[in-house]
Amino acid sequence: VAKSILTSPLSTSDKWTADHTDAESVVSLCRRGEAQGIMVVPQASLVSKLELGDRVVKYHHQCTKEQARQFYEGLVAELGSAAHECIAGAVGSKHDAVSYEQLKAKREAASQIAPDEFFKVGENQGKYKQYDDRGVPTHTSDGEEISRSALKKLEKIYAAQVKKYGKSGATSRGDPCSPEGGAMNARCEENSAGNSGAADDQHVPAPDKKTELEFL
């Protein structure tokens, strides 16, 4: 259950589109360096019964409070363990610390890549054939034009990379978002503003008696 919650396309780093084609999993967003959270809210029961003439909703076959507490804490613990395993490697593995450091180094290295080069190197190398003047892909390596929904995802990734690159302190002559970008900065800032939620945390303030897990 925990892995299904974490790996199903139920989240987004920006506002939802009408058809939800931009949905991604918590794990995929975290691997890209975007902070995500899951709020776990205790419920007495997920099934209720309201018979004709009743004025009160009835809940049957509820477990005891102690059993409910154990189930709740078990799910929270399993979500944390599964998140660690899916993002940084298996919990308890003798190589766990190494895997974490490798992931951290990989993210730091990725943040040093100029946004206009991001889709042309590393894991993205060879995937695309044509790009716009910012370096965002417009056609796949097969020459097919990228669909509108896929382009929206690429725009979000680009906006997130602009922020990471800016925070890293790296600069590049070819980067339209660097201080040397000149007139291109206006366009870059406009695009980033339109996707300002790309790398922001989507947390909702947690009321009392709720648990919120954060994954980085």
Side-chain angles (χ1 to χ4, degrees):
V1 173
K3 285 188 177 181
S4 296
I5 293 173
L6 294 167
T7 57
S8 298
L10 303 173
S11 186
T12 180
S13 60
D14 199 2
K15 297 179 181 178
W16 291 105
T17 58
D19 56 2
H20 297 313
T21 54
D22 59 338
E24 298 181 71
S25 70
V26 168
V27 168
S28 64
L29 289 168
C30 286
R31 285 176 177 171
R32 209 161 64 222
E34 300 186 29
Q36 291 288 296
I38 294 178
M39 184 180 292
V40 183
V41 183
Q43 296 287 344
S45 176
L46 297 179
V47 179
S48 62
K49 188 175 183 179
L50 182 63
E51 296 181 345
L52 184 64
D54 286 345
R55 295 184 178 181
V56 180
V57 176
K58 298 178 181 178
Y59 297 91
H60 300 283
H61 308 298
Q62 291 189 40
C63 60
T64 65
K65 289 186 177 180
E66 177 60 24
Q67 288 177 320
R69 183 187 64 79
Q70 292 176 0
F71 289 144
Y72 170 75
E73 293 179 352
L75 176 59
V76 171
E78 188 60 30
L79 281 169
S81 175
H84 194 291
E85 180 180 348
C86 292
I87 298 169
V91 176
S93 170
K94 64 180 180 180
H95 301 299
D96 186 57
V98 176
S99 298
Y100 174 78
E101 290 301 324
Q102 290 176 342
L103 179 62
K104 183 178 178 180
K106 182 179 179 180
R107 289 178 177 174
E108 290 177 353
S111 69
Q112 303 292 320
I113 303 174
D116 62 339
E117 292 293 326
F118 184 74
F119 293 105
K120 302 175 184 178
V121 298
E123 295 180 354
N124 294 312
Q125 187 172 7
K127 289 184 178 180
Y128 309 104
K129 186 175 183 179
Q130 296 183 35
Y131 311 81
D132 63 16
D133 52 8
R134 297 168 301 153
V136 178
T138 58
H139 293 73
T140 66
S141 58
D142 297 328
E144 295 182 5
E145 185 175 359
I146 295 176
S147 66
R148 182 176 299 180
S149 60
L151 186 58
K152 286 182 179 179
K153 292 183 179 180
L154 294 175
E155 289 282 2
K156 292 178 183 178
I157 296 173
Y158 174 80
Q161 183 63 16
V162 169
K163 292 184 178 181
K164 295 174 191 175
Y165 186 68
K167 290 179 180 179
S168 72
T171 57
S172 171
R173 280 186 166 182
D175 179 15
C177 297
S178 68
E180 295 83 4
M184 286 298 296
N185 278 328
R187 179 171 182 179
C188 179
E189 290 175 1
E190 180 182 351
N191 180 71
S192 295
N195 295 278
S196 59
D200 292 339
D201 192 353
Q202 301 296 312
H203 296 166
V204 176
D208 293 339
K209 297 183 180 179
K210 295 181 181 180
T211 298
E212 187 172 348
L213 302 177
E214 295 184 7
F215 311 118
L216 289 175

